[in-house]
Amino acid sequence: MAVATAGRPAGFRSRLSRKIQDNLMAYAFMAGGIACFAFFSWYPLVRGVILSFQQINFVTDPYWVGTDNFTAIFKDPLFVTAWKNTLIFTGIALIFGFLVPLALSILINEMRHLKGFFRVAVYLPVMLPPIVGVLLFRYFYDPGFGLFNTILRGVGLPESQWTQSSKTAMISLVLVSTWANLGGATLMYLAALQSIPGDLYEAAELDGASAWRRLRHVTLPQLRFIMLVLLLLQIIATMQVFIEPYQLTGTSNPDTVTVMVLIYRYAFTVNQDFGMAAAMSVLLFVVLGIFSAIYLRVTRDRD
Amino acid sequence: MNRSRLRSAVGLLLVAGVALSAAACGSDDGGNAPASDPNAKVTLVINGLPPDTEAVNRKHFLDNVAEFEKLNPNIDIDAKEGKMDPQTFQSKLAGGQLEDVFYVYFTDPASLIAKRQVADISKYLGEFAPTKEIRPDLMKIFSDDGGKVYGLPAKNYSLGLLYNRDLFTQAKLDPNNPPKTWDEVRTAAKAISALGKDYVGYGDYSKNNTGGWHFTAGMYSLGGDVAVNEGGTWKAAFNNEKGTQVLQQLKDMRWTDNSMGQRQLLEWADLLQMMGSGKLGMYMAAPDNIETIVNQFKGDFNKYGLGPIPNGTATLAGGEGYMFNAKATPEKIRAGLKWLTFWWDNPDRIATEYEWAASQKTPVGLPEPALWTGDAKAKQQAAIDKLKNLPVENYKPFADATANIPLKVEPPNAQQIYAVLDVPMQKVLTDKNADIAKLLKDAETQVNGILASVK
């Protein structure tokens, strides 16, 4: 009895130490990852939140200003404009960036030939550095000598002012963003399409379903999960739009000032105030955090 | 895609965080400048060193550094490239990487002083005689309301009308008699754009704060203002007839005359590049643009003329100078002032500099407003008269008028105000139906909000 009780902890300890030894390598790998996250993600995140309640000039010690930074950004007439523009951009970008890749992937999936070629062609823009793609479009959009207006003139259609006009500036930015980013989504849809069991289609065909009905009742339901995941990921990505307005329409253009552009203005150009920039970043973080939480929830249920 | 941008911002915050934990600062509160050992070894970090691509200017800069070090054996200068870049300034400051003496534009000092990110050098100036001869209105740019000084100007410019003489000739306009009023500008622009589809009569900015800058210059030219100080409070002063006139002129030229080209939302380099390509007739610019157009955009010195700012009631003056790191020690501040008064702020060096420029075939004789008053000013003029190597007769209309056109400095919080004033400029140049009254009213509200924080 006494022996047994004395033996149990020893057994437990040896089991524990064996377990640790067995997993030592795994812990070592994990420690590296955790250290990187802590150093490059979590610590700056916490600092950013702290900074949003401080005034800082990087010379003297920062001091607490309560919610002054938040009050200042709420008072900024561009605050509402920037959120509105960001939501409009996200909305249009979703309509394009969500449906176009889906349609493209279904088309490519149905192809008998050249499938590989189109897969590469669709993905190519993703490989371009974003700034290169945007500068390319700057030339395309030029109202005088740009490629788009030259083509429109050539076929006798009315020209557009593209990024230069309030009416078309936002949609022009969405086009660039969609073109640059649809590759990834298309490939994901393609992978999902190819994992749909063929016998489902066979059964549908035997029942005399038309192509449209096969799409509606077989393809789309099978893709539902991946569509939801991509939808959430795209919302999170497109709400952070920066390079397109920064390069194509400028940081002082109220038609296209987005939340990220406003953060940039607060920190680096107009106000040079890191406290205000941090406050705006915290707000964006909260909004994106909500979408991230939904994403995690959705993917967890699936597992 | 934008994640990388976010990451770099996060990285920046991280750097800021690390620096903060190690931050320490000191200040002095005495009547006289704190003493420092004149023979102590000092390493002075400065910026403004031209990049490798400007080999000649870089060598000249380094030669000057070598000469200075010979004269001051205890000072070792560590010269870095780069000028004022607001995007990296704060992070350099946070990371302890900011130079001891750093380059600024005239629009920077006010906000750096307000944020206490620069050192007060007032008490040291008495030890450096040449600083007394610098124009007081320029010294004011580097001072706070209490008269404390935080830096020195090095160069200044005023805006005029830069034009392509060849296009004037082709459009049957007199290249020796550039437009003197905005009405004449409009007529000339029409004539130049009539030369062909690709020709732009008059160009103007509307992106990334350059639009607001030129709107301000337009206001000054008509005798207007952008911000005025009424009994100690700053107020916006452009929502009036003059503001309307500036915008209406551009709107008419863009839409009624079609003399401003289709491509708008231009920023600083765009008009220089257009001028270099030989297709742009006129734009508002400082004389030093000519050198950049020639060096970077394949322009030709003989093609360009300079006229006075149209209407010429006053003209916007800007420029550049140097300020001191808030953490600079008394030794470093003295060494920095020695360096500045050895080169830029030294009336006795003007002739040497012009001789060097003339030997390199770089321009001497671009009409720039003087940095100096009194004897120093006379020295500069004598050196120009002796060494000028440019077709200065092309700049005569500008030079003749400059003496009689008052210079006006930029408003407080200039860059913030310019960002707001970009909007009316953008709208009149890109929207045929832009409502000028509403644009000015909205901008006024915003600018008053910005000015409310100005002490």
Side-chain angles (χ1 to χ4, degrees), chain A residues 17-222:
Chain A
S17 71
R18 202 173 55 236
K19 214 174 189 165
I20 289 175
Q21 263 170 9
D22 287 351
N23 293 318
L24 200 59
M25 208 54 164
Y27 285 124
F29 278 117
M30 210 162 83
I34 287 178
C36 279
F37 267 110
F39 196 68
F40 293 109
S41 277
W42 303 328
Y43 173 71
L45 200 86
V46 173
R47 277 235 54 102
V49 174
I50 292 171
L51 193 55
S52 68
F53 296 99
Q54 288 182 327
Q55 187 64 28
I56 183 169
N57 72 353
F58 300 117
V59 177
T60 48
D61 289 340
Y63 55 93
W64 297 93
V65 293
T67 53
D68 284 5
N69 290 326
F70 290 91
T71 316
I73 60 174
F74 287 140
K75 272 192 191 155
D76 184 350
L78 279 176
F79 178 82
V80 176
T81 313
W83 280 102
K84 201 172 82 190
N85 284 342
T86 304
L87 290 175
I88 291 172
F89 181 92
T90 305
I92 309 177
L94 282 179
I95 295 170
F96 280 93
F98 192 60
L99 295 179
V100 173
L102 183 64
L104 270 177
S105 62
I106 291 171
L107 274 176
I108 294 174
N109 199 42
E110 294 297 321
M111 283 180 181
R112 296 261 181 274
H113 309 288
L114 294 177
K115 212 182 235 190
F117 166 77
F118 280 104
R119 266 208 303 255
V120 172
V122 160
Y123 198 70
L124 268 181
V126 180
M127 297 185 204
L128 271 186
I131 192 74
V132 175
V134 171
L135 289 174
L136 199 64
F137 269 84
R138 199 171 162 168
Y139 153 71
F140 290 167
Y141 281 145
D142 189 299
F145 312 101
L147 179 75
F148 290 167
N149 275 358
T150 309
I151 293 173
L152 289 174
R153 259 196 305 271
V155 295
L157 286 169
E159 294 170 37
S160 166
Q161 288 290 307
W162 302 107
T163 49
Q164 310 251 321
S165 145
S166 304
K167 295 182 192 69
T168 50
M170 199 52 115
I171 196 101
S172 304
L173 298 188
V174 171
L175 281 180
V176 184
S177 166
T178 306
W179 171 86
N181 297 307
L182 59 76
T186 309
L187 288 193
M188 278 167 131
Y189 283 132
L190 259 177
L193 282 170
Q194 282 163 1
S195 68
I196 298 174
D199 45 19
L200 288 180
Y201 287 108
E202 278 170 34
E205 272 182 58
L206 285 175
D207 290 340
S210 62
W212 167 244
R213 292 197 58 169
R214 285 203 298 275
L215 177 71
R216 245 196 75 190
H217 296 289
V218 179
T219 313
L220 291 180
Q222 290 287 324

Side-chain angles (χ1 to χ4, degrees), chain B residues 159-161 163 165 168 174-180 304-310 367 391-405:
Chain B
L159 290 178
L161 187 75
Y163 61 100
R165 292 174 56 93
F168 264 58
D174 179 2
N176 297 319
N177 189 16
K180 289 185 185 57
Y304 309 115
L306 264 179
I309 194 90
V392 283
E393 60 282 3
N394 289 359
Y395 316 136
K396 203 170 162 354
F398 177 91
D400 290 349
T402 299
N404 308 317
I405 298 178

